[in-house]
Amino acid sequence: MTIHKPQQRADVAEIITQASADGTALAIVGAGSKLGLGRHAPCADQLDMSGFAGGLDYQPSELVLSAGAGTPLAQIEALLAENRQMLAFEPPDWSGLLGAGGSGTLGGVIATNIAGPRRVKSGAPRDHFLGFHGVNGRGDMFKAGGRVVKNVTGYDLAKIQAGAFGTLAVLTDITLKVVPAPETSVTLVLRGEDEQAAFASMTRALNSPHEVSGAAFLPAAAAARAGGFGGDATSVTLLRLEGHGPSVAFRAGALASMLAGGDVLPEAASLALWREIACVQPLLQRTDSLVWKLNPQPSRAASVLAEVQARLPVTSCFMDWGGGLLWIELDPAVPDAGAGVMREALARAGGHAMLVRASEALRAQVPVFAPLEAGLARLTARIKAAYDPADVLNCGRMYPPVVS
Amino acid sequence: MLARRHDIVAHLRALVPGEGVIDAEIERRAYESDGLTAYRQLPMVVVLPSTTAEVVAVLRYCHAEGIKVVPRGAGTSLSGGALPLEDGVLLGLGKFKKVLEIDIANRCAVVQPGVTNLAITQAVQGEGFYYAPDPSSQIACTIGGNVAENSGGVHCLKYGLTTNNVIGVEMVTMEGEVLRLGGKHYDAGGLDLLGVMVGSEGLLGVVTEVTVRILPKPPGARALLIGFPDVEGAGACVAAIIAAGIIPGGMEMMDKLAIEAAEAFVHANYPLDAEALLIVELDGCEAEVNHLVAAVEDLARHHGASSIRASTSEEERLLFWAGRKAAFPAVGRLSPDYYCMDGTIPRQRLTQVLARMKQLEARYRLRVANVFHAGDGNLHPLILYDANQPGELERAEAFGSDILRLCVEVGGVLTGEHGVGVEKRDLMDTMFDAVDLDQQLRLKCAFDAQSLLNPGKVFPQLCNCAELGRVHVKGGQTRFPELPRF
């Protein structure tokens, strides 16, 4: 395997032009923290983008930050924190889940479009991704979007790039919208609810004007693995409030009174708790288990979970995003990694499921992303060909290559 | 194509029965332009389907016959996005007017594309919800048009654009295939095709159903009206508000000419001594609003505000907004015609951009009134002219193009919310080079290989998909002779 480590955009273009001519598949790698995510489809060569670190252009009062795609996320988050700002989509650190160190690079966050608990209020990376420079699979250097927060000039190519797992183009420079960090935050904790009751509480909270920015439900076993709740042995429904001091104080009281109860977890404990939830820590009971991420229609979360629990050996689970995100851990011995059951349940409920953690062999056999219906599959293949006609960029990382 | 007109009309009548096909010239006239009235073109025929199946049938037929199609919502585009083609079908979605479902548990509403933006809020406000993007044309513009244009409004700094508030669509491709993108769940699960559909100006598909996120209505809001003796002070105050960690629900700026025009029109008691006026709206619970009003007042004083008023009643808040919301018609009273521009700039370049605009006013001998979505840097210079004076329209358009080039030069973009349409397509190369544009055209080809859907919009050159597959199409190739140029 050849590992290319370009330093300039023109080098990337040259490497891809050559790979495209030779038909050599390239694995796009930043810090390597998310290499275990997606279909397992080994590429002949590797394109190491860690040389595109830095190049920061950040004006806090413009709410815009640009940086090289290989810039470590931790560095960006530290810089933003110094200026009391943040990435609104709360990029999670899945290193515990995926068994690779660190939270990775900016490019990796965009490529995977992974959001943390604040997704429910503030959207995903795609909602904050304003523009980029990159190189497509033909070796063309192109740019899209801009460096301002409001722009409708041309197609919004940033959107389709987010979550494309590097299969369309290699990003070299990324511009994001950033937002002020909340002055403070607290969490209202309701104890002892079951899935149905928890969904009802989360929905009442999210449908209230109290600007809930996190809504999760941890069954008792998952709650036991979250720092603050060690010995309580009850389930917890968690509702986060963030913002300016006087506002958070008022809303915490109003929300508790609306839901007739709950304890308020103060700022430090609240921050630690939501970091754990973002990292999926409450789920992980064993290191060899299969992990699924389900995005059902929120109102169907409890019924989807019940169906999956009835039909598969679920070892652990929890809900985030007010029911819009279900984390499910399965015994690794389950046939087809449980994919058939997951997808049947979601076909009825609306939504999709991704196999997040499994062996390379399983991730090569079982569809990791939700299979597309025929029309969407054809369009997706045409778009892939429009960007990368020789199919060299992260070939097979989302879907098996189309055999023509 | 025109020779086949009779035949085409007859075929379309079989596909869309009843009054769904408009053939008479006098009735087609109603569709000859959109909100950009300087451009007019009579469509070959107008088709108004009322079901997705009819849209499918029309598109399949047009695809098979190689007939161009221009989709249209309410026709309020300010960039000529719905400008008809002489040899094309105008496909109006005006009969898709139903609110299909209000789903409070999932905080979304499913509506047909011809439902107006405001009607969505009206349909959900009884439950304490609203639909956040609020383009100024919200009484008339449809959600289908909002999806095509990725419409904004005064609240989008805090609550996002259409793209951040639409979670699913049903669309029909030019080939007549029905696709569902997104839905009530979070995230795409595959490529984010919904993300590129939004803002694609009707070039990628025809939207036949839209699922939007709805938000709980904030319990309250107060507005501040802040006058400044100079634009620099107002600009610095905006930056300071954001640097203090405050994202207002709305933050608008007006220059002296716009202030005077608005005040004369609606008598909102705007400070006529001010060179620049800020309207800052803070929404949320009462504790938050009062806390932030005090914080913004402090920042305004610190940045040399000459007057500060905070609304103390809902009536007063609406009065503060009345002047801003009437700014376009108010400016319209100063001059027989005006031309509305829509660039976005990095806010820190505001003073420089306004100074350059002053120089351009002298060069083109035309006045400009400026209203400005100050929070996100989206400028709306209104160029005053008189179309009855020979040469003034051309001068206004040349002036407008210079303003947009200036926006790009300082690091901004050609359009913040009105779209490229026909109006700005020839300026696309100020922002994008040929390779950038080719990538966009390739995406177009993946959706519509024959370039039959809304051709002539957005891109300065014809999309030749076969040729794109091999080599770059360089500038200066086939243009659109049938479209007027100004």
Side-chain angles (χ1 to χ4, degrees), chain A residues 59-63 83-85 113 115 119-121 124 126-128 136 138 140-160 162-164 167-168 177 179-181 183 199 202-203 206-211 242-248 250-251 293 295-300 321-325 350-352 369-370 372-376 378-380 382-387 398-399, chain B residues 103-107 129 149-150 152-153 156-158 161 163-164 175 177-181 184-196 198-201 203-204 216-219 239 242-247 283-285 287-288 291-292 342 344-349 373 375-376 378 411-420 428 431-433 435-436 439-444 446-447 458-459 468-472:
Chain A
Q59 285 115 18
S61 72
E62 297 284 336
L63 300 174
N83 291 278
R84 292 182 297 147
Q85 293 191 335
N113 194 40
R119 171 73 178 93
V120 74
K121 174 165 185 278
R126 56 92 79 184
D127 291 294
H128 303 267
N136 66 16
R138 311 160 63 90
D140 299 334
M141 294 183 276
F142 73 106
K143 65 179 177 297
R147 291 203 68 243
V148 290
V149 297
K150 199 166 173 194
N151 174 22
V152 295
T153 319
Y155 297 135
D156 194 350
L157 297 186
K159 290 286 180 302
I160 201 166
T167 60
L168 299 181
K177 178 182 176 185
V179 299
E183 205 173 276
F199 175 75
M202 289 191 289
T203 301
L206 288 165
N207 287 7
S208 78
H210 301 312
E211 298 185 68
E242 299 179 300
H244 301 278
S247 169
V248 169
F250 170 82
R251 286 182 283 137
K293 175 174 81 74
N295 293 108
Q297 204 181 122
S299 62
R300 305 293 293 273
W321 302 358
L325 172 61
H352 53 89
F369 296 91
L372 301 172
E373 59 90 8
L376 277 179
R378 282 194 298 275
L379 181 57
T380 297
R382 287 200 299 272
I383 291 169
K384 167 74 171 164
Y387 277 84
M398 290 188 82
Y399 307 104
Chain B
D103 183 346
I104 296 299
N106 289 309
R107 290 170 294 286
F129 284 80
E149 302 293 329
N150 190 12
C156 59
L157 180 67
K158 184 167 180 183
L161 301 157
T163 193
N164 310 110
E175 292 175 325
E177 179 155 37
V178 180
L179 300 176
R180 296 199 78 93
L181 309 178
K184 293 178 181 179
H185 53 270
Y186 289 100
D187 296 338
L191 292 182
D192 188 353
L193 304 181
L194 177 61
V196 284
V198 179
S200 61
E201 303 200 18
L203 271 73
L204 300 184
K217 193 167 167 45
I242 286 172
I246 300 168
I247 300 290
D283 58 3
C285 61
E288 172 157 346
H291 171 72
L292 295 181
D342 171 48
T344 305
I345 57 169
R347 263 187 287 95
Q348 59 186 343
R349 311 298 289 270
H373 299 307
D376 49 35
N378 187 195
V413 300
L414 292 175
T415 172
E417 57 186 357
H418 294 173
V420 176
M428 283 289 273
M431 212 172 125
F432 297 114
D433 65 25
V435 181
D436 303 335
Q439 188 56 53
Q440 300 201 25
L441 289 171
R442 282 198 185 89
L443 184 79
K444 161 75 171 168
F447 280 83
V458 183
F459 298 105
L468 270 175
R470 297 194 298 271
V471 290
H472 298 310

Side-chain angles (χ1 to χ4, degrees), chain A residues 6-7 49-56 67-72 75-76 105 172-173:
Chain A
Q7 302 293 327
M49 294 298 289
S50 61
F52 290 81
L56 282 154
T71 309
Q75 184 188 335
I76 286 168
T105 63
T172 56
D173 302 273

Side-chain angles (χ1 to χ4, degrees), chain B residues 93 338 375 412 433:
Chain B
L93 278 297
Y338 68 89
D433 65 25

Side-chain angles (χ1 to χ4, degrees), chain B residues 348-411:
Chain B
Q348 59 186 343
R349 311 298 289 270
L350 176 66
T351 308
Q352 178 195 351
V353 166
L354 292 181
R356 287 274 297 278
M357 235 188 271
K358 279 275 168 238
Q359 294 167 5
L360 291 170
E361 283 189 81
R363 188 201 301 170
Y364 286 101
R365 291 169 285 123
L366 293 171
R367 288 188 301 165
V368 170
N370 268 294
V371 294
F372 182 36
H373 299 307
D376 49 35
N378 187 195
L379 279 174
H380 289 313
L382 305 172
I383 303 170
L384 310 187
Y385 73 100
D386 180 353
N388 289 325
Q389 299 300 315
E392 279 212 6
L393 171 64
E394 291 73 14
R395 281 218 310 281
E397 294 204 332
F399 187 176
S401 295
D402 276 357
I403 290 174
L404 297 183
R405 284 190 194 97
L406 173 61
C407 290
V408 174
E409 183 191 315
V410 301

Side-chain angles (χ1 to χ4, degrees), chain A residues 40-354:
Chain A
H40 178 65
C43 295
D45 288 354
Q46 201 178 81
L47 186 59
D48 176 347
M49 294 298 289
S50 61
F52 290 81
L56 282 154
D57 186 352
Y58 170 44
Q59 285 115 18
S61 72
E62 297 284 336
L63 300 174
V64 167
L65 177 146
S66 299
T71 309
L73 192 59
Q75 184 188 335
I76 286 168
E77 295 202 285
L79 175 67
L80 288 170
E82 280 169 29
N83 291 278
R84 292 182 297 147
Q85 293 191 335
M86 65 175 185
L87 300 173
F89 51 88
E90 201 173 7
D93 179 348
W94 283 3
S95 53
L97 175 65
L98 298 171
S103 58
T105 63
L106 190 55
V109 169
I110 293 297
T112 53
N113 194 40
I114 296 170
R118 207 181 287 108
R119 171 73 178 93
V120 74
K121 174 165 185 278
S122 304
R126 56 92 79 184
D127 291 294
H128 303 267
F129 182 24
L130 301 175
F132 65 88
H133 285 263
V135 182
N136 66 16
R138 311 160 63 90
D140 299 334
M141 294 183 276
F142 73 106
K143 65 179 177 297
R147 291 203 68 243
V148 290
V149 297
K150 199 166 173 194
N151 174 22
V152 295
T153 319
Y155 297 135
D156 194 350
L157 297 186
K159 290 286 180 302
I160 201 166
Q161 201 64 47
F165 281 74
T167 60
L168 299 181
V170 179
L171 303 184
T172 56
D173 302 273
I174 287 169
T175 297
L176 292 172
K177 178 182 176 185
V178 300
V179 299
E183 205 173 276
T184 187
S185 60
V186 299
T187 296
L188 185 70
V189 183
L190 309 174
R191 288 169 205 272
E193 294 187 313
D194 65 12
E195 284 81 356
Q196 295 285 359
F199 175 75
S201 298
M202 289 191 289
T203 301
R204 285 189 70 195
L206 288 165
N207 287 7
S208 78
H210 301 312
E211 298 185 68
V212 170
S213 68
F217 168 70
L218 308 183
R225 281 186 292 274
F229 307 110
D232 290 11
T234 66
S235 69
V236 288
T237 308
L238 307 167
L239 303 165
R240 178 171 65 178
L241 300 166
E242 299 179 300
H244 301 278
S247 169
V248 169
F250 170 82
R251 286 182 283 137
L255 190 62
S257 118
M258 185 183 93
L259 296 170
D263 317 322
V264 174
L265 212 56
E267 183 178 56
S270 175
L271 287 173
L273 172 65
W274 288 98
R275 258 196 304 275
E276 290 173 356
I277 290 172
C279 298
V280 205
Q281 188 178 308
L283 182 78
L284 300 175
Q285 185 168 242
R286 41 199 290 185
T287 53
D288 64 342
S289 54
L290 302 172
V291 173
W292 282 86
K293 175 174 81 74
L294 276 58
N295 293 108
Q297 204 181 122
S299 62
R300 305 293 293 273
S303 64
V304 167
L305 184 57
E307 177 176 352
V308 170
Q309 280 175 320
R311 295 176 63 189
L312 292 171
V314 173
T315 53
S316 170
C317 64
F318 76 88
M319 271 186 208
D320 197 357
W321 302 358
L325 172 61
L326 282 179
W327 282 106
I328 295 179
E329 186 191 53
L330 297 180
D331 186 293
V334 65
D336 86 333
V341 171
M342 298 290 183
R343 284 178 174 137
E344 269 175 49
L346 284 162
R348 277 193 291 278
H352 53 89
M354 179 180 179

